[in-house]
Amino acid sequence: MTDSTIPTAQLGAHGPAVGVQGLGCMGMSFAYGPTDAEASRATLERALELGITLYDTADAYGQGENEKFLSPFFKAHRDEVVIATKFALAIPPDDPTRRIIRNDPPYIRQAVEASLKRLEVDAIDLYYMHRRDVNVPIEESVGTMAELVREGKVKHLGLSEVTATELRAAQDIHPIAAVQSEWSLFSRDIEAQVVPAARELGVALVPYSPLGRGFLTGSFTNADKDLTADDFRRQQPRFTGDNAAANAALLEPVRTVAEAHGVSLGQIALAWVQQQTTVHDLPVIPIPGTRKPGRVEENAAATGIELTKEELELLEPIAGQVAGDRYADMRFSSAGRE
């Protein structure tokens, strides 16, 4: 791949311009088995060289360790990067299958101060509510987030895994720059209501897991057999047992299109997500995660692939045939509340 930088897009009506592909940093210290800090640091630098400027983390990733890991890179390139982090989701280290969700104002204030300290920055560029606590009115939570903007601790607001109704209620309180939700050839539930609402309100979509947590690349076919015991994907229904075998068969059309372009399966999966910006007429900035410089080059190259109408039609049925839910417990996803 050449060193020409990728195009840019804007986060929301008033947000910053970023590369049309961001970088999910979770796996650099959390969730996907053993990590290599040196390779991860090289990946961050290579991504920036390629025009990737949106870097995504969260306080829940490794109990804050991911934010700490990224801090030196952010400090070295503060004027070049857009830092996105999140609050609301805690994962007890003794039980990684559990989720503790908090959206109450005192917790939000506690969380932002802790993230600012770990990141060693004066302000967070894009601050997301990671998951929704339905017991706290969203107007109350977003109202507190808006106060953080007025205080200069946060520049722009985002929401993750919210419904269209929740997005509209939040937008009435303060402009929302981005909605982050899972969106890929395997996961398209947000297209029914969330995507149209985001388009209507001028909100960017930031798809996480655009590569189906690696499954769409063909890098593994069964989480129980192919991944380490501490890998988060072993908890997800799509990647284990009979579901895994059924879903692996769905990659054949992706393979067909990849062979026609002379590229990898992952690049076609990413190109499909990138092309949704044209299909749905709104900014779409996926954040594939990787810990390898070569892989970030491959991912960035996917921004230059254009799929034909016939290829899009070939890939269209995949999501409707996927076996298993995105999560074992779908209550915390937007699809679980729509």
Side-chain angles (χ1 to χ4, degrees):
M1 154 143 199
T2 68
D3 278 341
S4 59
T5 58
I6 63 176
T8 61
Q10 189 172 351
L11 286 171
H14 308 290
V18 296
V20 294
Q21 186 181 112
L23 181 63
C25 301
M26 179 178 77
M28 293 181 177
S29 57
F30 175 72
Y32 291 145
T35 61
D36 182 330
E38 184 176 347
S40 292
R41 282 190 285 268
T43 300
L44 293 167
E45 296 287 350
R46 186 66 180 124
L48 188 57
E49 291 172 354
L50 295 168
I52 293 170
T53 54
L54 177 63
Y55 293 80
D56 186 88
T57 182
D59 59 4
Y61 301 161
Q63 306 295 319
E65 289 304 311
N66 199 248
E67 290 178 325
K68 290 180 182 178
F69 174 78
L70 295 168
S71 176
F73 171 75
F74 290 156
K75 285 197 294 183
H77 301 285
R78 188 64 191 97
D79 294 336
E80 303 168 82
V81 300
V82 172
I83 301 170
T85 193
K86 315 178 194 73
F87 74 89
L89 173 62
I91 303 172
D94 59 338
D95 185 0
T97 64
R98 283 187 63 213
R99 300 289 184 271
I100 299 170
I101 313 295
R102 288 187 63 181
N103 291 173
D104 56 284
Y107 180 80
I108 295 172
R109 288 195 164 276
Q110 171 189 328
V112 75
E113 295 296 342
S115 284
L116 287 167
K117 184 176 180 180
R118 285 189 293 263
L119 291 165
E120 298 184 85
V121 296
D122 295 327
I124 294 164
D125 298 314
L126 178 59
Y127 200 42
Y128 286 104
M129 178 192 295
H130 202 164
R131 289 294 186 271
R132 173 93 171 92
D133 178 359
V134 296
N135 298 308
V136 179
I138 196 164
E139 295 85 355
E140 189 175 318
S141 303
V142 176
T144 301
M145 296 169 71
E147 290 173 3
L148 300 180
V149 176
R150 290 191 288 271
E151 294 164 12
K153 295 175 180 179
V154 169
K155 296 181 182 179
H156 304 281
L157 302 184
L159 302 170
S160 181
E161 289 287 356
V162 292
T163 66
T165 299
E166 291 163 348
L167 173 58
R168 288 192 173 94
Q171 183 81 359
D172 284 343
I173 303 300
H174 189 278
I176 302 300
V179 167
Q180 185 175 131
S181 284
E182 187 166 356
W183 198 6
S184 73
L185 282 168
F186 267 24
S187 302
R188 297 180 58 181
D189 49 80
I190 66 168
E191 292 175 29
Q193 297 187 48
V194 177
V195 170
R199 180 178 61 245
E200 170 195 329
L201 298 171
V203 177
L205 248 296
V206 178
Y208 71 83
S209 299
L211 293 170
R213 301 192 185 276
F215 197 86
L216 285 163
T217 70
S219 60
F220 73 99
T221 57
N222 187 304
D224 288 333
K225 298 175 182 177
D226 301 337
L227 304 178
T228 58
D230 58 348
D231 196 299
F232 169 70
R233 291 168 288 187
R234 289 168 65 103
Q235 304 167 26
Q236 296 185 296
R238 289 183 172 175
F239 307 137
T240 57
D242 292 341
N243 286 348
N247 292 335
L250 299 179
L251 298 182
E252 284 312 306
V254 186
R255 190 168 284 110
T256 298
V257 177
E259 289 173 355
H261 285 264
V263 299
S264 68
L265 274 70
Q267 286 175 304
I268 294 303
L270 274 177
W272 181 89
V273 176
Q274 300 276 179
Q275 207 153 327
Q276 298 312 299
T277 192
T278 301
V279 173
H280 293 280
D281 190 27
L282 82 169
V284 177
I285 303 150
I287 48 168
T290 185
R291 302 175 288 201
K292 298 177 180 179
R295 190 70 70 192
V296 84
E297 292 175 358
E298 179 182 320
N299 291 348
T303 64
I305 299 171
E306 184 170 354
L307 304 178
T308 66
K309 179 175 178 288
E310 292 73 23
E311 289 168 340
L312 290 172
E313 289 173 351
L314 182 63
L315 300 173
E316 181 67 23
I318 293 175
Q321 301 173 44
V322 172
D325 284 331
R326 296 200 271 128
Y327 295 100
D329 185 346
M330 288 290 286
R331 289 177 301 164
F332 306 119
S333 69
S334 60
R337 297 192 306 279
E338 287 284 11

